Amino acid sequence: MSEYAAGAERPATDADPVHGADPVHGGGFAHRTESRDRSVTAPAAGAAPAGAAADATAVAAGAGDPAALRALTAVALEALADGAARRDGPLPAGGPEEVARRTRALITPLLPEQGVGAQDALYDVVRAAAEGAADPADPYCVAHLHCPPLAVAAAADLAASALNPSMDSWDQAPGAAVIEEEVTAELASLVYPRESAPDAVITSGGTESNLVALLLARERAQARGERTVQVLVGENAHHSVRRAAWMLGLPVPVTVECVEGRMVPAALDRALASLGGGPALVVATAGTTDEGLIDPLAEIARVSRAFGAEMHVDAAYGGPLLFSPELAPRLHGIEEAVSVTYDLHKLGWQPVAAGVLAVAEADSLKFLSLSADYLNADDDTEAGLPDLLGRSIKTSRRPDVLKIAATLRALGRDGLGRTVEHCVRTATRFGQDIDRNEALRRRTGAEGISTVLFRPVAADRLPDEAGDALVAAIRRQLLAEGLAVLGRATVPDSDGVRRVWLKATLLHPRTTADDLGGLLQLVVERAEFLAGQVPGPRQGQPAPRQGQPAPLEGPGSSAATRLQSVTL
């Protein structure tokens, strides 16, 4: 709901040519904040809207200047800035109920009898989203494989939305189809530089890519006269692989032992031997979700080959290491996979979605072929119209490839490689900073791609269950205060006991380890306070912002009591 709702008087000054007062054509910028006073005069009742840009039914593209989109884009950018200023941090303070209350206040009623106009509607919705966002562009927003999109990619995504080509037939996407063909050829060659005919398809991300990879494996097996294919996954595998097997009616995947977060080749050997033959697909991981670890791909490929099994690599996280000559050797053996998943909305700085499934042989995609007369009639295909329907398991499909193409051209292989290297170096330095902090402890073991696990030493002084509760409470407290977005992972410690860790996944193309020192200090202070080791927050702690909960107060409470008070 705008700030001038419920009968409040709206400001009026000289006319702005793109904002009218008619509820269909524009509502006079009811949304303006105190810091952005750009008031307008509403036209007389019944007057025509002042220009096509004011019309809520104006289309986004078409011949000539896209005036409506240009004007509304300015509104959206203003709302983004205002929302970020109101949020004032990596995420909104107050917790789920408070965020929901503020968000609903901005967008209610969502379906009024009479519309509020394009400008007010757009401003309120975008500001609500921005004010309530977990912003991956903030250095302290590091919980997930959730990257800040590059401006060039976001701008290309705007163009994709305006043009709205649907990638299921050539007559809906003639130019976009060519762009996709070129992009997929480049992305396939990145994985399979020595193959003569590799290919790739654009997907919504790792979940879809893994589903399609298992589908193709099943179809290959059945084309050879086999009934099905047995999937083998590491204990570290992403849940999407097991879900894909369930969706496709495949046998329950065989789970292979992992040590220190990585699949054990000898255990895979034993697992394959126990199957007694038959088609098998081994799914290795290059970049685990919890730790960013990479399975020994070359060894897994060797063992798989010895049993006649195929290998698929889920490199949704780690695949972009291939852009870097320095880091690509970490994925040695990936080229032996029949298919590879990798996402560019993780370590590729694209807006979601930007997934890729690369295959060693283009012919293997034939199993996705489908005929629908209204999209790819045989005589149209014979006459030379490209068949796009077999490029996905979806029909209507967004042109996500446009933002990928713009980014590839903007940065080039060298720029992409150096940006990936920056993220990896930042994680290494961040880990070193943790090692130098006596109040924190980093999880030992193999280094992940750009993920660092750590926990406060204060948690180690408590019994295991209470220590884990403290770690979880620190994360929730920082979320409640709107100060940081840290992830969590439960993985074995050096003594083999599974413990809860704070997780930082560093994907920002410009953040450095120096920018993250304050984040570590926040963790230390909240750990000491929640554990009851100090009477209150240290001097210099950031003051609560308006609307956020006050820090926990009072000395003398037990650790258990303090932990119970953080219940988000």
Side-chain angles (χ1 to χ4, degrees):
M1 181 182 294
S2 72
E3 294 178 5
Y4 296 95
E9 184 178 353
R10 300 187 180 207
T13 61
D14 293 338
D16 181 330
V18 299
H19 306 120
D22 184 292
V24 174
H25 301 112
F29 262 94
H31 54 263
R32 291 217 166 62
T33 66
E34 297 82 0
S35 62
R36 291 177 176 262
D37 184 15
R38 297 175 46 209
S39 305
V40 299
T41 295
D55 192 337
T57 60
V59 298
D65 180 45
L69 182 61
R70 188 186 308 279
L72 289 171
T73 298
V75 174
L77 292 175
E78 181 180 14
L80 284 173
D82 287 352
R86 290 294 187 97
R87 185 182 69 241
D88 191 27
L91 82 164
E97 291 185 5
E98 176 61 20
V99 172
R101 184 193 65 77
R102 293 198 300 261
T103 301
R104 290 192 177 100
L106 285 168
I107 65 171
T108 303
L110 196 60
L111 184 61
E113 281 300 316
Q114 299 296 323
V116 300
Q119 289 79 29
D120 278 356
L122 179 65
Y123 181 93
D124 289 344
V125 170
V126 174
R127 183 182 134 185
E131 188 174 327
D135 184 3
D138 190 291
Y140 288 11
C141 186
V142 293
H144 302 287
L145 288 163
H146 178 205
C147 72
L150 299 180
V152 65
D157 217 21
L158 172 64
S161 293
L163 293 168
N164 202 32
S166 184
M167 304 297 293
D168 50 320
S169 68
W170 183 86
D171 59 357
Q172 297 178 90
V178 177
I179 295 172
E180 183 170 86
E181 181 179 358
E182 293 299 313
V183 167
T184 52
E186 289 289 349
L187 296 178
S189 296
L190 184 69
V191 180
Y192 299 110
R194 295 193 296 272
E195 296 292 339
S196 60
D199 203 351
V201 292
I202 302 300
T203 72
S204 60
T207 295
E208 182 186 342
S209 294
N210 288 335
L211 174 65
V212 175
L214 268 62
L215 169 65
L216 296 177
R218 185 192 70 182
E219 295 303 298
R220 286 193 299 270
Q222 292 182 348
R224 297 191 298 267
E226 304 286 351
R227 188 180 64 82
T228 189
V229 62
Q230 177 63 60
V231 176
L232 297 93
V233 298
E235 294 171 330
N236 61 356
H238 191 264
H239 63 80
S240 63
V241 180
R242 293 180 177 86
R243 176 180 285 186
W246 167 72
M247 292 176 67
L248 294 168
L250 300 178
V252 175
V254 173
T255 300
V256 180
E257 177 191 4
C258 291
V259 172
E260 294 187 352
R262 305 166 78 225
M263 187 187 290
V264 178
L268 175 62
D269 187 296
R270 293 190 296 271
L272 284 168
S274 70
L275 295 179
L281 179 72
V282 177
V283 178
T285 304
T288 58
T289 303
D290 277 346
E291 301 178 80
L293 300 177
I294 299 170
D295 284 338
L297 302 180
E299 283 296 294
I300 291 171
R302 178 188 61 77
V303 173
S304 300
R305 191 167 54 248
F307 285 90
E310 296 179 331
M311 180 177 73
H312 166 70
V313 177
D314 178 2
Y317 182 4
L321 296 179
L322 293 170
F323 288 116
S324 164
E326 174 188 326
L327 299 173
R330 295 190 185 188
L331 301 183
H332 174 58
I334 197 171
E335 68 282 356
E336 297 192 51
V338 293
S339 52
V340 173
T341 288
Y342 67 107
D343 286 352
L344 295 174
H345 57 241
K346 293 183 172 71
L347 202 54
W349 313 287
Q350 300 296 293
V352 175
V356 180
L357 177 69
V359 294
E361 297 180 7
D363 185 62
S364 67
L365 295 176
K366 66 185 179 185
F367 298 112
L368 299 180
S369 296
L370 179 68
S371 179
D373 196 62
Y374 74 104
L375 294 173
N376 60 349
D378 290 343
D379 58 323
D380 280 348
T381 303
E382 291 168 2
L385 295 184
D387 179 3
L388 306 186
L389 192 56
R391 302 293 299 175
S392 175
I393 59 174
K394 296 182 287 188
T395 304
S396 296
R397 183 161 60 90
R398 199 172 181 279
D400 289 316
V401 73
L402 268 62
K403 62 199 173 195
I404 299 173
T407 303
L408 295 180
R409 278 183 57 80
L411 288 175
R413 186 185 295 261
D414 178 67
L416 286 162
R418 285 188 286 108
T419 309
V420 173
E421 290 164 8
H422 167 82
C423 294
V424 173
R425 282 196 302 270
T426 299
T428 298
R429 280 202 54 202
F430 182 66
Q432 292 168 348
D433 288 345
I434 292 170
D435 292 341
R436 286 190 287 268
N437 192 317
E438 294 181 354
L440 299 171
R441 179 169 70 88
R442 181 166 60 97
R443 184 182 180 276
T444 59
E447 186 175 290
I449 295 170
S450 64
T451 299
V452 182
L453 301 186
F454 65 103
R455 55 190 268 144
V457 172
D460 294 337
R461 300 191 186 109
L462 299 171
D464 283 344
E465 186 174 347
D468 285 348
L470 173 61
V471 175
I474 291 166
R475 174 178 178 272
R476 291 192 293 268
Q477 179 65 22
L478 291 172
L479 289 174
E481 294 180 77
L483 295 176
V485 189
L486 283 162
R488 60 182 286 171
T490 304
V491 298
D493 204 341
S494 56
D495 60 1
V497 175
R498 291 178 63 82
R499 292 191 170 92
V500 176
W501 304 81
L502 296 172
K503 177 173 70 171
T505 304
L506 304 179
L507 302 178
H508 199 298
R510 293 190 173 184
T511 294
T512 67
D514 290 340
D515 298 322
L516 300 169
L519 175 61
L520 297 180
Q521 187 62 25
L522 283 172
V523 171
V524 171
E525 291 177 354
R526 295 314 184 270
E528 292 177 343
F529 181 50
L530 289 169
Q533 296 179 2
V534 295
R538 290 181 177 176
Q539 187 176 3
Q541 173 181 313
R545 297 194 300 274
Q546 184 177 6
Q548 80 178 40
L552 300 177
E553 296 179 354
S557 299
S558 67
T561 301
R562 290 176 180 271
L563 298 181
Q564 289 169 4
S565 67
V566 182
T567 57
L568 290 178

